[in-house]
């Protein structure tokens, strides 16, 4: 077992993928000598060379567009987008090209591209550095969208994403980058990429989260336990496809569901989860599904982000509402 | 296997417009002397003051960030002359579309630097009056503002505010951006637009040699100013640490634009003497020797040397400017600390011109939630 934070875990996962498959490339702004602004690619250029770890020109459309060409040539590019808000110059390439190539070619052409995006807030940053754009991508057929919440998942999920022949948008919770955890680097992943994880079993209410809010919900569950209430916390991990088997199972037992994410509420992942749970578990529900999310505003200035972001109290408040109904 | 990426560039040595040597010696220039012929001792002193104030505001901001008062700061250290020289070339009716680093331009355009601090403190996302100052909001998404500048220039064109010969009416736009930004699609599209419509815009690229950790070679194989030729307008490289040369070159470009002759690309050849931002650690990717080399070309020292040589200022003047800078810093320090945090519900205020029912409901939801804590405390 090795104690790693999420940054080091993704780094170790990338390293292993690059060792296992010479076709794996890392490309992005400042990923080489600097090791990325968060140091996720630290040391990779030194060990794998400039041909495999590419400091690209400053152009996101170029990063994704050339990754498409490299993928057509048999490479497996892992693209780093420096911050969530900067994926949009590459959005056209992702949505119109990466997502559709397999479909358009009748399955002949594959796009084994991973697009890593540090996402989410709570880091006191200026504009465009704290966004949660996952729903834009989950809304796009042809893309797989996943996110890790802890070092163990970070280590395995990045490798599984790279191995996949479909394109994957890989969201990393930058506000939790320094969260540490134990990782067995030589072990085996305990879950396939496209499955949710029950992060904490419980009996009274179900709380669904992903990425940065998983920790928030685990903290809320600890606080609820002190008050004698048992929350089951489910970490979605995969946002497209959504794996809600564990959620259905849980809601059928608890009858109460709260979905938590940093992204804006309207048409967010929570809306889809609520719709599906309503379809599948209608007779089990004791209360309407509650959403604890960012508000429907642009991400606000850092000095008010604390109030904007879901926190422990807002989660518990929502749980209370499911009981008060 | 190594992919060969080196291309043998055979074009002639790039030319650099310079009017002041690093030692402060005035070098004659056939083309550009006329453009600064009207500059008096007062003008030089006033530009010197802008340079010093710009650097002092910047230094104070870095210190405030270190003390936890700002979330971040992007330092302009080393780029003062490029900014002051270009800004001082503008007329009141000209417009500026900046990146996130044009603090000295803001100062020259009369924007209270406290607004810049507020943005980096995380109090707001651009609180200054863009209409009063003609200094538009900072743009963090690399390159986007070059298109805004071009579109604004197209508006000026349509309003008949170019080519009239009236110096108080004819206007132009300056788009600031960095060397890294030249790789973005938006910037290249802006070049194309401006060229095709002959827009009154000056593309002012501060080539500070670095885009975070990436040196210029990661963005280009030709000197940046030469790119302009391919788009169909003139490009010029100017010593970005020479305030007089920056003034001259930008004046020329702005006048071309105001006269209806279209865009110009100015490449101000300079150096980012500090870190990319306060979160950056440049020791990871560049050698200290490079910094030491550029220190010899300091943009403020050379003006000072020029002024001393030419008896344009005495020690009392320099002391007075220092004192003024210090007073400004002291004022900003206190004013920054005193900036009130926005009220949480203010985030709903300006999403739309009129609040939507959904946002009104969310605002009430937030209020009620926050009030519930106040009640708890009261109980
Ligand atoms: C579209 C976009 N991609 C990435 C970034 C992150 N980023 C911020 S500054 C920067 C480098 C900019 O370099 P340059 O254009 O030379 O300007 P400088 O910072 O040197 O003034 C990068 C990559 C961004 N702000 N916007
Ligand atoms: Mg630069």
């Amino acid at each position: 077992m090795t104690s790693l934070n999420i940054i080091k875990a993704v780094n170790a996962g990338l390293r292993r993928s690059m060792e296992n498959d010479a076709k794996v490339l890392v490309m992005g702004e400042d990923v080489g000598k600097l090791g990325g602004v968060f140091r996720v690619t630290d040391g990779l250029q030194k060990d794998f060379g400039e041909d495999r770890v590419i400091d690209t020109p400053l152009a996101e459309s170029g990063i994704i567009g050339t990754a498409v060409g490299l993928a057509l040539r048999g490479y497996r590019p892992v693209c780093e987008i420096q911050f969530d808000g900067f994926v949009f110059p590459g959005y056209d390439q992702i949505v119109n090209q990466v997502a559709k190539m397999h479909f358009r070619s009748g399955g002949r052409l594959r796009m084994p591209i991973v697009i890593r995006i540090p996402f989410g807030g709570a880091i006191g940053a200026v504009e465009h550095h704290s966004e949660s754009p996952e729903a834009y991508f989950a809304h796009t057929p042809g893309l797989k969208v996943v996110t890790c919440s802890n070092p163990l998942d970070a280590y395995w999920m990045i490798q599984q994403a790279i191995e996949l022949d479909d394109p994957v948008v890989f969201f990393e919770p930058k506000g939790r980058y320094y969260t540490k955890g134990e990782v067995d680097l030589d072990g085996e992943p305990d879950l396939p990429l496209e499955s949710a994880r029950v992060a904490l079993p419980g009996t009274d209410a179900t709380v669904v989260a992903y990425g940065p809010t998983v920790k928030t919900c685990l903290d809320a569950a600890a606080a609820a336990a002190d008050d004698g209430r048992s929350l089951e916390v489910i970490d979605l991990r995969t946002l497209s496809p959504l794996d809600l088997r564990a959620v259905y199972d849980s809601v059928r037992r608890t009858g109460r569901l709260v979905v938590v994410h940093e992204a804006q509420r309207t048409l967010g992942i929570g809306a889809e989860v609520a719709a599906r749970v309503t379809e599948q578990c209608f007779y089990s529900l004791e209360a309407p599904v509650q959403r604890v999310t960012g508000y429907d505003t642009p991400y606000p200035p850092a000095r008010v982000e604390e109030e904007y972001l879901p926190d422990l109290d807002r989660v518990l408040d929502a749980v209370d509402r499911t009981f008060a109904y | 296997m190594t992919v060969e990426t080196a291309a043998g560039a055979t074009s002639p040595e790039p030319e650099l417009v310079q009017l002041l040597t690093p030692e402060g010696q005035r070098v004659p220039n056939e083309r550009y002397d006329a453009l600064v012929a009207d500059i008096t001792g007062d003008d030089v002193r006033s530009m010197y003051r802008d340079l010093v104030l710009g650097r002092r505001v910047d230094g104070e901001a870095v210190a405030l960030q270190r003390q936890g008062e700002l979330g971040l700061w992007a330092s302009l250290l080393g780029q003062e002359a490029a900014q002051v020289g270009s800004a001082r070339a503008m007329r009141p009716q000209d417009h500026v579309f900046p990146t996130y680093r044009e603090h000295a331009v803001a100062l020259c355009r009369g924007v209270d630097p406290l607004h810049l601090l507020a943005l980096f403190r995380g109090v707001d996302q651009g609180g200054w009056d863009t209409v009063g100052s003609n200094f538009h909001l900072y743009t963090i998404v690399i390159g986007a503002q070059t298109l805004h500048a071009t579109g604004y220039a197209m508006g000026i064109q349509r309003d008949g505010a170019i080519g009239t010969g009236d110096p108080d009416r004819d206007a132009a736009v300056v788009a600031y951006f960095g060397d890294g930004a030249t790789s973005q699609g938006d910037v290249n599209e802006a070049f194309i637009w401006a060229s095709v419509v002959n827009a009154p815009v000056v593309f002012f690229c501060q080539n500070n040699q670095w885009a975070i950790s990436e040196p210029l070679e990661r963005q280009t194989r030709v000197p940046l100013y030469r790119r302009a030729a391919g788009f169909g307008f003139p490009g010029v490289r100017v010593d970005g640490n020479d305030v007089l040369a920056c003034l001259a070159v930008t004046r020329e470009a702005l006048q071309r634009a105001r006269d209806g002759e279209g865009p110009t690309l100015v490449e101000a050849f300079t150096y980012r003497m500090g870190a990319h931002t306060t979160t950056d650690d440049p020791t990871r990717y560049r050698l200290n020797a490079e910094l030491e080399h550029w220190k010899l070309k300091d943009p403020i020292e050379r003006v000072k040397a020029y002024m001393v040589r030419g008896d344009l200022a005495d020690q009392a003047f320099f002391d007075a400017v220092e004192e003024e800078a210090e007073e400004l810093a002291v004022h900003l320090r206190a004013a920054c600390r005193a900036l009130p945090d926005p009220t949480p519900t203010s985030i709903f205020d300006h999403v739309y011109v009129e609040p939507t029912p959904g946002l009104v409901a969310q605002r009430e939801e937030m209020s009620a939630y926050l009030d519930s804590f106040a009640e708890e405390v009261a109980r």
Side-chain angles (χ1 to χ4, degrees):
Chain A
M1 286 290 188
T2 313
S3 177
L4 296 177
N5 64 27
I6 292 180
I7 292 171
K8 295 248 162 68
V10 177
N11 180 280
L14 286 169
R15 180 174 287 280
R16 224 171 92 136
S17 293
M18 295 185 80
E19 281 163 1
N20 292 343
D21 185 348
K23 294 292 186 190
V24 175
L25 308 177
V26 165
M27 53 200 283
E29 294 153 10
D30 305 289
V31 298
K33 216 169 194 176
L34 184 63
V37 294
F38 290 107
R39 311 291 184 261
V40 173
T41 57
D42 193 23
L44 296 181
Q45 189 180 65
K46 190 168 118 297
D47 295 342
F48 295 97
E50 292 183 19
D51 284 349
R52 292 190 65 195
V53 181
I54 306 164
D55 266 333
T56 67
L58 206 179
E60 288 75 11
S61 183
I63 294 170
I64 308 295
T66 55
V68 168
L70 284 160
L72 290 172
R73 182 70 191 180
Y75 286 88
R76 306 183 83 84
V78 182
C79 303
E80 174 171 304
I81 297 295
Q82 200 161 81
F83 282 90
D84 32 57
F86 307 138
V87 69
F88 296 107
Y91 193 61
D92 165 60
Q93 287 286 349
I94 297 174
V95 169
N96 283 329
Q97 306 300 331
V98 174
K100 293 177 178 171
M101 196 67 80
H102 188 256
F103 186 77
R104 288 164 60 214
S105 67
R108 286 186 306 280
L109 302 175
R110 295 187 176 175
M111 286 285 110
I113 298 173
V114 175
I115 300 165
R116 294 182 34 243
I117 309 179
F119 83 128
I123 63 160
V126 291
E127 269 185 291
H128 314 295
H129 291 72
S130 304
E131 314 272 323
S132 296
E134 61 272 15
Y136 295 124
F137 299 95
H139 192 69
T140 302
L143 300 177
K144 290 189 167 164
V145 182
V146 304
T147 174
C148 53
S149 68
N150 60 72
L152 182 73
D153 281 348
Y155 178 64
W156 290 115
M157 288 173 75
I158 189 65
Q159 295 180 59
Q160 291 167 322
I162 292 169
E163 277 165 27
L164 207 66
D165 276 350
D166 287 314
V168 181
V169 184
F170 190 91
F171 283 103
E172 298 168 9
K174 74 170 95 73
R176 305 289 185 201
Y177 259 159
Y178 300 98
T179 306
K180 282 197 162 185
E182 295 296 314
V183 181
D184 177 4
L185 295 175
D186 300 317
E188 291 290 326
D190 64 339
L191 283 175
L193 181 63
E194 287 156 46
S195 58
R197 178 192 296 286
V198 177
L200 181 76
T203 51
D204 298 335
T206 308
V207 180
V208 167
Y210 56 86
T213 55
V214 173
K215 168 86 165 50
T216 313
C217 294
L218 289 171
D219 291 347
D226 291 343
D227 289 342
R229 199 172 263 170
S230 161
L231 305 186
E232 178 146 300
V233 179
I234 297 175
D235 178 356
L236 285 180
R237 299 188 351 133
T238 170
L239 308 180
S240 179
L242 269 174
D243 171 34
L244 297 186
R245 290 167 304 171
V247 178
Y248 301 150
D249 174 63
S250 180
V251 171
R252 286 184 186 121
R253 286 184 282 109
T254 65
R256 294 176 170 83
L257 175 62
V258 176
V259 192
V260 185
H261 54 65
E262 290 190 7
Q264 287 84 354
R265 186 177 307 171
T266 297
L267 296 171
I269 302 297
E272 184 62 30
V273 171
R276 292 196 197 184
V277 166
T278 309
E279 285 163 7
Q280 299 294 322
C281 312
F282 187 70
Y283 291 107
S284 308
L285 283 170
E286 300 285 348
V289 178
Q290 299 294 315
R291 285 176 288 170
V292 179
T293 66
Y295 296 96
D296 286 337
T297 73
Y299 196 86
R303 291 258 164 176
V304 270
E305 69 180 341
E306 214 175 289
E307 282 82 7
Y308 176 85
L309 292 169
D311 62 7
L312 183 150
D313 286 318
R314 275 175 71 194
V315 173
L316 292 180
D317 205 50
V319 170
D320 283 347
R321 285 200 301 276
T322 67
F323 279 94
Y325 190 75
Chain B
M1 185 213 57
T2 299
V3 180
E4 191 57 60
T5 50
T10 50
S11 25
E13 271 297 290
E15 281 175 39
L16 183 79
V17 179
Q18 188 184 69
L19 299 181
L20 289 181
T21 66
E23 295 73 33
Q25 211 149 31
R26 179 73 168 80
V27 270
N29 185 300
E30 218 175 296
R31 176 163 172 185
Y32 289 102
D33 280 348
L35 281 138
V36 290
D38 63 316
I39 293 297
T40 63
D42 272 344
D43 292 328
V44 175
R45 283 187 289 276
S46 151
M47 284 194 288
Y48 175 82
R49 173 179 171 268
D50 284 347
L51 292 167
V52 171
L53 294 187
R55 180 169 288 186
R56 192 65 185 87
V57 167
D58 188 75
E60 190 55 38
V62 171
L64 283 165
Q65 196 280 338
R66 297 270 179 263
Q67 294 155 18
E69 297 294 335
L70 303 182
L72 183 83
W73 183 255
S75 169
L76 61 54
L77 192 66
Q79 299 176 219
E80 295 88 349
Q83 297 193 10
V84 170
S86 57
R88 294 291 296 258
M90 296 171 202
R91 296 203 184 126
Q93 71 270 25
D94 294 329
H95 282 259
V96 179
F97 284 76
T99 70
Y100 40 80
R101 211 187 282 286
E102 271 69 69
H103 318 313
V105 179
L107 207 62
C108 292
R109 297 300 286 183
V111 174
D112 185 342
L114 188 59
H115 285 305
L116 311 176
L117 298 180
L119 186 154
F120 284 97
R121 185 176 169 88
V123 166
D124 60 39
Q125 295 172 340
W128 57 93
D129 178 13
T130 58
V131 178
S133 62
N134 288 2
F135 184 82
H136 290 261
L137 292 187
Y138 272 3
T139 298
I140 291 173
V141 180
I142 300 295
Q145 77 283 0
T146 57
L147 281 166
H148 310 161
T150 304
Y152 200 93
M154 289 166 69
I156 289 176
Q157 235 176 352
R158 277 153 186 72
D159 292 343
I162 52 167
T164 69
D166 178 352
D168 296 325
R169 172 170 182 151
D170 290 344
V173 182
V174 182
Y176 285 90
F177 55 103
D179 44 292
T182 61
S183 294
Q184 281 289 7
D186 276 6
V187 174
N188 288 273
E189 290 173 26
F191 288 175
I192 289 166
W193 241 260
S195 167
V196 167
V197 307
N198 214 36
V201 56
V202 175
F203 294 111
F204 195 90
C205 177
Q206 286 170 83
N207 174 2
N208 63 8
Q209 314 300 327
W210 293 91
I212 310 186
S213 74
E214 297 199 15
L216 190 63
E217 307 88 81
R218 304 301 329 153
Q219 318 290 344
T220 188
R221 288 273 157 191
V222 296
L224 290 174
Y225 75 98
R226 286 206 188 129
R227 292 231 182 123
F231 290 94
F233 50 87
V236 55
R237 178 181 279 185
V238 59
D239 183 338
N241 288 14
D242 173 351
V243 74
L244 209 55
C246 288
L247 175 74
V249 164
T250 314
R251 273 183 165 185
E252 182 187 55
L254 277 168
Q255 198 50 45
R256 270 187 44 124
R258 293 191 206 102
D259 288 345
E261 288 168 30
T264 305
L265 170 61
V266 177
E267 177 192 2
F269 203 75
T270 180
Y271 190 71
R272 195 195 79 206
M273 299 214 327
H276 169 69
T277 65
T278 43
T279 57
D280 178 40
D281 173 12
T283 62
R284 290 181 66 103
Y285 55 80
R286 69 182 191 188
L287 295 171
N288 202 43
E290 190 181 273
L291 177 62
E292 292 305 319
H293 166 76
W294 278 91
K295 272 187 186 163
L296 302 175
K297 304 183 182 188
D298 187 90
I300 300 186
E301 286 309 313
R302 82 171 71 180
V303 187
K304 194 170 181 182
Y306 170 66
M307 292 165 79
V308 170
R309 271 169 193 274
D311 257 343
L312 292 176
D314 53 15
Q315 193 53 42
F317 168 78
F318 294 121
D319 291 346
V321 172
E322 278 317 314
E323 199 174 314
E324 186 187 357
E326 188 51 34
E327 276 166 21
L328 177 60
V330 168
H331 158 72
L332 285 175
R333 199 176 308 154
C336 176
R337 293 207 168 104
L339 281 171
D341 283 351
T343 56
T345 51
S346 70
I347 66 171
F348 297 101
D349 289 351
H350 303 295
V351 183
Y352 300 101
V353 175
E354 297 293 340
T356 60
L359 281 181
V360 171
Q362 287 192 13
R363 188 182 212 278
E364 279 164 13
E365 175 191 318
M366 185 197 251
S367 283
Y369 175 70
L370 295 174
D371 287 349
S372 71
F373 289 99
E375 281 159 24
E376 255 171 55
V377 173
R379 262 188 267 136

